[in-house]
Amino acid sequence: MQNEGQNNLYVTLEEYVPKNVLNKKNKAKTWKYGYDEKYDMVIISKTGEIGEIVSVQGLPIALPLVPKKVYKRSGKKEEQYWEREELPKDLEKIQSIFQWNDKPSEFKDRWVDYIESEFDSREYGHWFMNNGVPTYITGAHYMYLQWTSIDVGYPDYREANRILYIFWEACKADKRSFGMTYLKIRRSGFSFMSSSECVNTGTLAKDARVGILSKTGSDAKKMFTDKVVPINSSAR
């Protein structure tokens, strides 16, 4: 059942899964990432628990369950919004894996939890308080906002992009999907978002191979040299 007053692009599906089933499977953490045939929905949660179920362009998507602790930059509702965290200065000096390997074990022990938490955010997604509302962004969206330097600096948070990334994550999770068709306007940031996803995918798995397809080979090459390489360098 859809909430009244919402458009058809993004709507919340109330009682899409019976409450007793939802609670039982959440308690056992048995929801599986991917397409759930029984309830005809795509689960993008990787924790075994699901929360809000939304419909994006008619596709039911189950989001992760809101965690007990959600990051908030302020106790005041009006001061809660997305804000990128700066890279710690100690890590800013490291330009390669070789420099990291040369660091003493005490240094690595100090920063290993921070590094692993960043990879967790890229893998499982990230929650933050947004004007008093617990808000979920996917791991790919987190990578874009937190670690992707673009032509104007770092990206701003946009609700339209959050919806896009949720749908994209569902496409990756859904075994029935061959990809996504996206109609966009110019200067919407899509080239940077897709380049960020190239880097994100390529740096989450060892020996990854990521393709770039464009209308010509030279355009694909330009995308790689002008966007993917700088993003990879800035994210390192």
Side-chain angles (χ1 to χ4, degrees):
M1 183 174 69
Q2 297 180 359
N3 279 343
E4 295 293 331
Q6 291 182 308
N7 60 41
N8 292 325
L9 173 64
Y10 183 92
V11 296
T12 300
L13 303 179
E14 302 288 355
E15 300 178 6
Y16 187 80
V17 175
K19 191 172 182 179
N20 63 317
V21 175
L22 185 66
N23 293 337
K24 183 178 180 180
K25 289 181 70 67
N26 272 349
K27 186 176 181 179
K29 296 184 177 182
T30 54
W31 294 106
K32 294 183 178 179
Y33 177 84
Y35 176 64
D36 188 298
E37 188 172 353
K38 182 175 181 180
Y39 293 103
D40 189 29
M41 64 181 181
V42 182
I43 298 170
I44 64 172
S45 171
K46 297 180 179 180
T47 65
E49 301 172 288
I50 63 173
E52 186 180 32
I53 300 172
V54 301
S55 171
V56 181
Q57 282 292 91
L59 178 68
I61 303 172
L63 305 182
L65 184 67
V66 180
K68 293 180 180 179
K69 291 184 178 180
V70 177
Y71 172 78
K72 57 182 178 181
R73 68 181 302 275
S74 171
K76 296 181 180 179
K77 175 181 172 181
E78 62 273 14
E79 294 179 359
Q80 296 171 356
Y81 50 83
W82 166 263
E83 186 174 39
R84 177 182 178 269
E85 297 289 333
E86 293 291 335
L87 179 68
K89 292 191 180 299
D90 284 350
L91 296 179
E92 204 172 47
K93 301 172 184 177
I94 298 175
Q95 301 295 320
S96 70
I97 187 62
F98 306 108
Q99 291 181 353
W100 169 263
N101 290 337
D102 288 339
K103 290 292 183 180
S105 57
E106 294 81 5
F107 180 90
K108 296 175 183 176
D109 291 342
R110 192 188 320 148
W111 292 108
V112 66
D113 288 344
Y114 168 82
I115 294 170
E116 288 183 352
S117 70
E118 288 301 309
F119 273 94
D120 285 344
S121 293
R122 289 172 58 193
E123 179 69 22
Y124 298 102
H126 178 76
W127 287 89
F128 70 101
M129 293 300 293
N130 187 17
N131 196 32
V133 179
T135 301
Y136 175 75
I137 57 175
T138 67
H141 193 186
Y142 179 82
M143 171 69 178
Y144 175 64
L145 291 173
Q146 173 63 27
W147 296 116
T148 301
S149 178
I150 63 176
D151 55 350
V152 293
Y154 285 92
D156 292 328
Y157 171 84
R158 297 176 181 175
E159 179 64 14
N161 288 348
R162 187 182 82 90
I163 296 172
L164 170 64
Y165 272 107
I166 286 172
F167 190 81
W168 171 235
E169 187 65 36
C171 289
K172 292 190 289 183
D174 193 345
K175 63 183 180 182
R176 305 167 303 169
S177 174
F178 287 93
M180 175 178 71
T181 300
Y182 177 57
L183 300 179
K184 68 177 188 65
I185 60 174
R186 289 188 58 81
R187 302 296 298 172
S188 64
F190 184 73
S191 294
F192 282 107
M193 285 190 282
S194 55
S195 296
S196 173
E197 179 66 334
C198 284
V199 176
N200 188 45
T201 302
T203 55
L204 282 176
K206 187 177 181 179
D207 295 328
R209 298 291 186 271
V210 182
I212 298 176
L213 180 65
S214 189
K215 55 187 180 295
T216 66
S218 60
D219 285 326
K221 183 178 180 181
K222 183 175 176 59
M223 181 88 156
F224 177 75
T225 56
D226 291 2
K227 292 183 173 64
V228 175
V229 172
I231 288 172
N232 184 64
S233 299
S234 63
R236 54 175 187 280

